[in-house]
Amino acid sequence: MSNYSINSLEQYFKVYRRSINKPKKFWGKIAENNFTWYQKWDKVVEFDMEKAEFTWFKNARLNITKNCIDRHLANKGDKHAIIFEPNNPEEPSRYYTYSELYTEVSRMANVLLGQGVQKGDRVCIYLPMIPELVFSVLACARIGAIHSVVFAGFSANALSTRINDSTCKLLITADGGFRGAKTIDLKRIADEALMRSPGIEKVLVVKRTHQDIPMTAGRDMWLQPLLDEADVTSKAAVMDAEDPLFILYTSGSTGKPKGMVHTTAGYMVFTAYTFKNIFNYQPDDIYWCTADIGWITGHSYTIYGPLLNGATTVLFEGIPSYPTHSRFWEVIQKHGVNQFYTAPTAIRSLAKEKIEFIQNFRLESLKVIGSVGEPINEEAWHWYNDHVGNKRCPLVDTWWQTETGGIVISAIPFVTPTKPTYASLPFPGIKPVLMDELRNEIVKNQQIGNLCIEYPWPGIARTIWGDHQRYIDTYFTKFPGKYFSGDGALRDEVGYYRITGRVDDVIIVSGHNLGTAPIEDAINEHQTVAESAVVGFPHDIKGNALYGFVVLKETGLWRDRNNLVKEINQLISDQIGAIARLDKVQFVSGLPKTRSGKIMRRILRNIASGELTDFGDITTLVNPEIVEEIKEGRL
Ligand code: PRX
């Protein structure tokens, strides 16, 4: 691929300047030289930041799976596209070449068509990390259906909310899933969800755990017999550049989850180009991203980015601690992984274990290691750099979001010198800017501001499914003319960015975004609870953990404290998922509130974090005395 790789710092600056000064020319060239199109575009980009309208590669026609699969068949048909590494190390790994991927995706696409799925229909995918998950995603893209993958750790309620929001008509799930020593009853959870999601007409079920499950006649079908009968070739639907490719839900600070919509051409160009450069992918490399496909990282950098580059991508079903804390290192050694991309929370959990878990493994194959999902603290950075990267692999700390589609701030390995805890420099095409609360641009170094981006890039989300106004209000209103990320950041003397964390009520727990409002709603469902407030507090492994302040309708009801906490956490698990359970629950007689009735979360955050001295100005509270009480009772 010409004009595609960035190989020196000097070249980076040149490319970066070009991308900012002449973005149309820059992205046009990349799109022109590196992809297969049915029809080229009339215009590279048209946009309106205030209305949050973005059109990239206007009127172009393409199919992303042609670019992920078909075009590699001539020269790379026998190359491994996917290496599947099961949860249980005793189960053999499975290898799929690009030719086999073509066959599998074609069969799945034909099954979907056979079940009446049409272009533009929404298909919900609720599967563990097994090859059928990748085939399903690509099969949707093949026929122009919009995939909505829901993380298999989410509860029935969360699944049903997502299915209903985007009116999916077909669900692909499995009998169950393996996760470490546990088995997750996926079909049972799906059945429960479907009681509240009557729009689902058909359910295709993958056999993974072989457990007994009920099948609803007329609705549920085992997938395998349908695949066995399906044609092994398929035509790729002709898609418009701006046709939606997928919907992926992310938590907001208020209200229901936001179905972020990504479209076809821009997402393709952006994920492919960022993947190539940020992981320095070379033709024979084996690449492994540990993220679940239920999150954007799995979409962009387990499936689309790697396959668009004809890479070999490892799909891992398991968890870092099963059967031992050596599992990651064992997989790297077994497959000779060259690029390894994971989350700080995984690194922190492994760093606290005995060094023997990593010492006996050969990790020489590694060339680049990456981090994503939350700020990586200095200690974790050094452990990762020293013990995994062996001080010789560049560590790319990649900052991005579900909304950005792909990585927007990151070092480029062997090009940008890295600096612990700094995501470093913007990727070409990205123009970050830090804003203060008065909407002035911050020009001083080392001053924390609201991280915004000034110009659109091809991978930017196009809307929130069914609610464009919410998209405008959330991202484009606070700082007019700019995309507001919801993160805080500072810049150093060299221009490196350091992400300091969320500035809204989203809390990142073990790399998962959690909005406080839905958790509070779940708590408030308990019959004894009057109201509640959830805040984050620092946690050694998870980055942040959740602290709930709970007001009961009648005092004295919490005599059976432990039981009450259990019930509250059960409600949270049922409504959202186990990832949102509270680490600490403090029962209080009231919450600090302003005269307008707003909870002053800043105070609660301080108390939860053990910062008990400086509460700033609390004179605007209607009940300042409550602060002392809550402080006294801190857990
Ligand atoms: O707060 C930032 C944090 O994760 C948020 C985005 O979460 P999500 O949409 O789930 O996507 C996660 C994977 C891209 C951001 O707003 N975040 C992500 N990467 C980093 C990060 N914070 C600091 N450093 C990072 N490298």
Side-chain angles (χ1 to χ4, degrees):
M1 291 191 184
S2 56
N3 179 35
Y4 200 55
S5 332
I6 300 168
N7 298 314
S8 69
L9 194 57
E10 198 192 347
Q11 190 197 359
Y12 161 78
F13 283 118
K14 229 161 91 190
V15 170
Y16 184 74
R17 266 195 307 274
R18 204 174 342 122
S19 75
I20 297 302
N21 295 338
K22 298 203 161 133
K24 290 178 189 157
K25 201 165 161 200
F26 175 76
W27 289 113
K29 260 201 162 154
I30 289 174
E32 174 100 41
N33 294 337
N34 300 294
F35 303 92
T36 300
W37 304 88
Y38 292 126
Q39 181 185 304
K40 297 265 166 79
W41 46 93
D42 301 332
K43 252 186 171 176
V44 172
V45 62
E46 249 175 30
F47 67 95
D48 182 328
M49 289 296 257
E50 318 252 306
K51 293 191 188 145
E53 289 170 357
F54 310 101
T55 307
W56 280 93
F57 310 109
K58 190 175 180 182
N59 293 332
R61 302 274 187 275
L62 74 157
N63 187 292
I64 196 168
T65 67
K66 276 264 193 207
N67 286 277
C68 285
I69 309 172
D70 305 45
R71 68 168 165 153
H72 304 313
L73 294 179
N75 299 324
K76 292 187 189 142
D78 295 332
K79 178 179 172 172
H80 289 147
I82 295 168
I83 299 178
F84 171 58
E85 181 58 35
N87 177 61
N88 178 354
E90 317 232 308
E91 186 182 328
S93 313
R94 279 189 251 159
Y95 301 82
Y96 297 87
T97 63
Y98 272 93
S99 299
E100 288 163 339
L101 181 63
Y102 171 80
T103 306
E104 298 293 347
V105 171
S106 292
R107 288 156 99 199
M108 187 76 91
N110 291 325
V111 168
L112 293 179
L113 288 172
Q115 295 307 316
V117 177
Q118 293 177 1
K119 192 167 165 178
D121 284 346
R122 274 79 60 206
V123 170
C124 180
I125 303 174
Y126 185 63
L127 282 174
M129 287 283 282
I130 53 178
E132 288 82 354
L133 172 49
V134 180
F135 305 153
S136 304
V137 162
L138 294 170
C140 287
R142 187 88 180 159
I143 65 170
I146 303 169
H147 56 80
S148 169
V149 181
V150 176
F151 171 55
F154 272 134
S155 69
N157 183 64
L159 172 61
S160 150
T161 309
R162 286 159 177 75
I163 288 174
N164 295 346
D165 185 72
S166 48
T167 52
C168 296
K169 65 189 272 192
L170 184 139
L171 171 72
I172 308 176
T173 188
D175 48 358
F178 296 121
R179 205 176 148 70
K182 285 194 208 144
T183 303
I184 317 284
D185 299 331
L186 282 183
K187 178 63 166 53
R188 185 191 56 72
I189 301 170
D191 279 340
E192 201 186 318
L194 294 192
M195 293 198 292
R196 276 163 280 164
S197 299
I200 291 286
E201 296 160 13
K202 298 275 168 63
V203 181
L204 302 179
V205 188
V206 179
K207 224 173 223 176
R208 176 61 183 139
T209 53
H210 296 266
Q211 64 200 91
D212 267 347
I213 51 157
M215 297 287 276
T216 302
R219 188 194 70 185
D220 303 351
M221 277 158 289
W222 289 107
L223 181 65
Q224 194 57 49
L226 299 174
L227 289 174
D228 291 342
E229 307 233 306
D231 196 346
V232 293
T233 61
S234 64
K235 274 227 305 264
V238 178
M239 306 302 290
D240 184 87
E242 285 297 341
D243 275 337
L245 175 65
F246 65 85
I247 302 170
L248 184 60
Y249 286 86
T250 184
S251 306
S253 42
T254 54
K256 58 180 186 178
K258 299 172 286 191
M260 305 311 308
V261 177
H262 283 283
T263 57
T264 308
Y267 178 81
M268 172 180 82
V269 170
F270 196 64
T271 51
Y273 182 54
T274 46
F275 173 80
K276 167 70 189 160
N277 284 292
I278 292 168
F279 297 103
N280 193 255
Y281 187 81
Q282 302 301 322
D284 294 322
D285 287 347
I286 310 283
Y287 163 89
W288 180 23
C289 163
T290 68
D292 196 287
I293 288 165
W295 313 115
I296 189 71
T297 309
H299 280 58
S300 302
Y301 298 111
T302 297
I303 302 184
Y304 287 112
L307 297 180
L308 285 164
N309 283 279
T312 302
T313 176
V314 175
L315 180 73
F316 177 54
E317 184 184 28
I319 55 173
S321 55
Y322 178 81
T324 72
H325 293 100
S326 293
R327 188 65 172 128
F328 273 4
W329 324 128
E330 198 177 277
V331 175
I332 292 174
Q333 176 178 284
K334 179 174 181 187
H335 297 295
V337 170
N338 304 109
Q339 290 90 0
F340 178 64
Y341 191 31
T342 195
T345 186
I347 296 302
R348 286 190 297 261
S349 75
L350 294 170
K352 80 170 188 351
E353 300 299 331
K354 286 201 215 84
I355 199 73
E356 285 76 25
F357 280 115
I358 184 165
Q359 255 173 355
N360 301 328
F361 290 87
R362 303 181 63 92
L363 307 180
E364 297 93 345
S365 59
L366 288 175
K367 296 197 278 194
V368 176
I369 55 176
S371 168
V372 61
E374 54 188 309
I376 180 161
N377 51 306
E378 191 129 10
E379 222 181 325
W381 195 100
H382 284 293
W383 191 88
Y384 195 20
N385 186 55
D386 296 358
H387 296 286
V388 184
N390 213 358
K391 296 188 182 158
R392 74 188 162 73
C393 303
L395 191 174
V396 289
D397 177 1
T398 63
W399 178 75
W400 60 296
Q401 311 177 291
T402 305
E403 296 83 340
T404 67
I407 298 166
V408 283
I409 301 185
S410 170
I412 294 176
F414 313 109
V415 169
T416 327
T418 58
K419 177 172 173 181
T421 77
Y422 281 76
S424 88
L425 296 171
F427 195 73
I430 304 299
K431 208 173 166 196
V433 52
L434 298 177
M435 305 295 290
D436 69 16
E437 286 303 314
L438 299 172
R439 298 179 174 172
N440 296 315
E441 186 174 339
I442 296 175
V443 283
K444 264 174 67 186
N445 298 328
Q446 301 294 348
Q447 198 175 323
I448 297 178
N450 297 291
L451 178 54
C452 298
I453 303 179
E454 249 179 0
Y455 192 88
W457 59 100
I460 189 173
R462 300 301 195 262
T463 190
I464 292 175
W465 183 264
D467 197 350
H468 194 68
Q469 191 57 45
R470 187 175 180 200
Y471 186 52
I472 298 175
D473 295 345
T474 312
Y475 304 101
F476 299 92
T477 304
K478 189 161 179 195
F479 302 99
K482 299 177 174 59
Y483 166 81
F484 172 43
S485 67
D487 279 352
L490 58 79
R491 202 174 28 228
D492 75 1
E493 325 43 66
V494 201
Y496 275 27
Y497 287 86
R498 177 184 188 159
I499 315 301
T500 51
R502 299 291 310 180
V503 294
D504 56 10
D505 289 329
V506 171
I507 304 168
I508 303 194
V509 179
S510 299
H512 304 311
N513 281 12
L514 298 171
T516 51
I519 306 176
E520 289 160 7
D521 289 346
I523 302 172
N524 299 350
E525 286 218 347
H526 196 280
Q527 54 183 3
T528 64
V529 172
E531 62 173 337
S532 59
V534 170
V535 297
F537 70 99
H539 185 280
D540 282 351
I541 307 231
K542 301 181 191 178
N544 293 296
L546 300 177
Y547 195 122
F549 295 91
V550 178
V551 183
L552 296 175
K553 287 180 183 153
E554 288 171 50
T555 46
L557 276 178
W558 47 286
R559 259 168 309 173
D560 193 0
R561 189 185 181 285
N562 289 346
N563 213 19
L564 196 48
V565 171
K566 245 197 217 150
E567 286 172 8
I568 286 175
N569 269 327
Q570 189 55 47
L571 275 170
I572 295 174
S573 289
D574 293 344
Q575 295 287 322
I576 302 158
I579 48 176
R581 290 166 75 95
L582 305 177
D583 264 44
K584 290 186 179 178
V585 180
Q586 181 179 348
F587 295 101
V588 293
S589 67
L591 299 168
K593 285 195 183 160
T594 62
R595 268 164 232 290
S596 57
K598 242 183 124 187
I599 299 169
M600 220 189 242
R601 289 172 188 274
R602 173 173 62 77
I603 295 175
L604 297 176
R605 273 195 289 267
N606 283 4
I607 295 177
S609 313
E611 290 160 28
L612 303 177
T613 45
D614 182 16
F615 290 115
D617 181 13
I618 59 168
T619 53
T620 54
L621 290 178
V622 275
N623 53 351
E625 68 291 344
I626 202 77
V627 176
E628 208 48 38
E629 181 210 300
I630 299 179
K631 202 171 106 179
E632 292 293 308
R634 179 181 173 269
L635 298 170

